[in-house]
């Protein structure tokens, strides 16, 4: 089959598209004929290399994809050939104390398809049965292939971990990103007053279209002062910050007393300076969040499938142009998700 391959850690020149061995299908796995996938900033980090990441090269990246079931392993009971499915990338052991307690995202062996193991940016992918969800008829492949990672992540962050309520105020940093634009929609759906940052007027207009009530260009104005001005000096109840080092102190400055900062990553650096006096004096909460439980995935994806939430699509490219797809994500070009499709599908 043809697959996107990262041949070594480095810049986009380490990405190739070419022949790769057909996947072996395990007893509990499903062979998916991939129709569309999408990039996340995670794919950029995997390509560059992470200190704790040791991968066999070449590595097939990709945590988002959707397609048609081609065949199933002997122990698979939920799917059969011809079913429409989407990938949800979190893999858990099912046996540790956290899995047994019902929260697989806390699994001591939690890992992601495309990051720690072979991903799904290929013509075919062998995926554990537990990592697939049904896609209803009528949902297009681009939507199905671009939605699961960012919407489950944003849903868990806001609905579960930050536990937002109607009438609260939520600031979403980087509203043009995958998680960012999902968070804007979810906060709006939950009845929050939504504040959003972006780097261009076009991105800010798109953020408004997806539910932001107030927007600011962070290239032109420091957002903590803007937040204080808009809230009468109070600050917001919740900040969604997946950017990290470049925004961390300003995110803390933007919070009201007893506010919550929720984070799922650090795309601009994972070791920021913090502000301990402000955290304890204002009694702030710093909350981590990773992916979503199966139940949370089901809840949020039902709202994607029925059109309540919509993945914004920056561009659709053939997988042979995966290097360009990485450049778009890495360079923060445009708004929303970058979709890649097997060349054979185009």
């Amino acid at each position: 089959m043809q697959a996107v391959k990262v041949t070594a850690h480095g810049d986009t020149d380490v990405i190739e598209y070419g022949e790769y061995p057909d996947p072996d299908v395990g007893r509990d796995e499903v062979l998916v004929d991939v129709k569309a996938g999408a990039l996340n900033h995670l794919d950029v980090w995997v390509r560059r290399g992470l200190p704790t990441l040791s991968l066999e090269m070449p590595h097939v990246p990709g945590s988002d994809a959707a397609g048609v079931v081609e065949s199933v392993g002997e122990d698979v009971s939920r799917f059969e050939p011809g079913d429409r499915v989407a990938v949800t990338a979190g893999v858990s052991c099912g046996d540790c104390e956290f899995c047994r307690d019902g929260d697989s995202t806390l699994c001591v062996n939690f890992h992601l398809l495309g990051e720690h193991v072979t991903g799904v940016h290929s013509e075919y992918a062998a995926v554990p049965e537990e990592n697939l969800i049904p896609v209803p008829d009528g949902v297009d492949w681009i939507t199905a292939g671009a939605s699961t990672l960012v919407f489950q992540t944003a849903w868990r962050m806001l609905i579960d971990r930050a536990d937002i309520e109607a009438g609260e105020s939520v600031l979403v940093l980087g509203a043009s990103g995958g998680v960012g634009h999902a968070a804007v929609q979810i906060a709006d759906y939950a009845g929050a007053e939504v504040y959003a940052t972006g780097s261009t007027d076009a991105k800010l207009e798109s953020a408004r279209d997806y539910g932001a009530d107030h927007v600011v260009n962070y290239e032109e104005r420091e957002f903590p002062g803007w937040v204080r001005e808009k809230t009468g000096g109070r600050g917001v109840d919740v900040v969604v910050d997946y950017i990290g080092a470049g925004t961390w102190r300003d995110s803390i400055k933007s919070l009201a007393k007893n506010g919550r900062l929720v984070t799922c990553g650090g795309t601009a650096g994972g070791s920021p300076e913090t502000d301990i006096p402000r955290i304890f004096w204002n009694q702030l909460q710093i909350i981590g969040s990773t992916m979503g439980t199966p139940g949370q995935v089901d809840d949020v994806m039902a709202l994607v499938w029925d059109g309540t939430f919509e993945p914004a699509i920056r561009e659709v490219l053939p997988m042979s142009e995966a290097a360009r797809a990485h450049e778009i994500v890495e360079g923060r070009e445009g708004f929303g998700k970058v979709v890649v499709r097997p060349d054979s599908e185009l």
Side-chain angles (χ1 to χ4, degrees):
M1 69 174 182
Q2 301 289 300
V4 178
K5 298 178 288 186
V6 175
T7 59
H9 293 303
D11 294 327
T12 55
D13 59 357
V14 303
I15 301 172
E16 297 179 359
Y17 184 68
E19 290 188 1
Y20 190 82
D22 292 338
D24 295 322
V25 182
R27 297 179 63 94
D28 64 345
E29 291 184 326
V30 173
L31 183 65
V32 179
D33 179 358
V34 175
K35 302 300 182 182
L39 269 72
N40 297 282
H41 208 95
L42 173 65
D43 295 299
V44 173
W45 284 112
V46 170
R47 189 202 77 225
R48 289 177 181 171
L50 295 165
T52 59
L53 195 60
S54 178
L55 294 174
E56 181 179 343
M57 297 293 180
H59 172 71
V60 175
S63 302
D64 269 330
V68 177
V69 173
E70 181 79 7
S71 62
V72 301
E74 298 174 33
D75 295 338
V76 171
S77 60
R78 294 174 54 229
F79 300 103
E80 59 185 28
D83 286 350
R84 293 160 52 88
V85 293
V87 173
T88 177
V91 182
S92 57
C93 72
D95 294 324
C96 71
E97 59 178 301
F98 300 104
C99 288
R100 293 199 307 272
D101 200 37
D103 196 337
S104 56
T105 70
L106 294 172
C107 175
V108 296
N109 295 308
F110 193 74
H111 59 280
L112 299 182
L113 302 176
E115 180 181 8
H116 306 90
V117 296
T118 301
V120 291
H121 287 175
S122 51
E123 289 184 310
Y124 293 91
V127 180
E129 178 182 22
E130 295 303 316
N131 287 93
L132 293 171
I133 58 173
V135 175
D137 292 338
V139 175
D140 65 89
W141 289 124
I142 290 174
T143 295
S147 303
T148 57
L149 190 144
V150 296
F151 277 96
Q152 69 175 285
T153 299
W155 183 266
R156 180 175 172 86
M157 289 174 78
L158 287 169
I159 303 301
D160 178 72
R161 301 291 287 155
D163 193 22
I164 63 172
E165 297 180 356
E168 289 193 308
S169 50
V170 176
L171 170 64
V172 179
L173 304 187
S176 66
V179 170
H181 92 291
V184 166
Q185 294 179 65
I186 291 167
D188 178 56
Y189 171 81
E193 187 169 6
V194 184
Y195 298 74
T197 73
S199 60
T200 69
D201 289 343
K203 290 179 180 180
L204 296 177
E205 186 60 35
S206 294
R208 284 190 183 278
D209 291 342
Y210 280 91
D213 300 296
H214 313 280
V215 297
V216 68
N217 188 327
Y218 63 79
E219 298 282 6
E220 298 176 354
R221 183 170 183 188
E222 293 184 353
F223 67 82
W226 170 78
V227 167
R228 293 288 171 183
E229 179 183 298
K230 288 289 185 181
T231 60
R234 177 182 180 274
V236 295
D237 297 298
V238 174
V239 174
V240 174
D241 185 342
Y242 59 87
I243 298 169
T247 54
W248 194 257
R249 290 180 69 93
D250 284 343
S251 292
I252 291 172
K253 288 179 183 178
S254 300
L255 285 167
K257 283 187 174 264
N258 201 36
R260 293 100 76 195
L261 190 161
V262 61
T263 180
C264 66
T267 59
S271 299
E273 291 185 4
T274 194
D275 188 345
I276 293 175
R278 190 182 295 268
I279 291 172
F280 72 71
W281 189 253
N282 288 345
Q283 301 185 58
L284 306 179
Q285 300 175 57
I286 308 298
I287 305 169
S289 188
T290 296
M291 300 292 284
T293 66
Q296 289 162 356
V297 172
D298 289 344
D299 289 345
V300 71
M301 293 311 297
L303 294 169
V304 174
W305 302 150
D306 73 11
T308 301
F309 300 143
E310 178 186 356
I313 305 301
R314 304 188 203 190
E315 196 161 350
V316 179
L317 296 170
M319 285 187 180
S320 58
E321 296 182 25
R324 172 59 185 148
H326 274 243
E327 290 173 357
I328 294 171
V329 173
E330 200 165 7
R332 297 181 296 132
E333 300 176 31
F335 190 98
K337 298 279 287 187
V338 179
V339 171
V340 289
R341 305 191 69 183
D343 288 40
S344 57
E345 293 295 328
L346 300 173

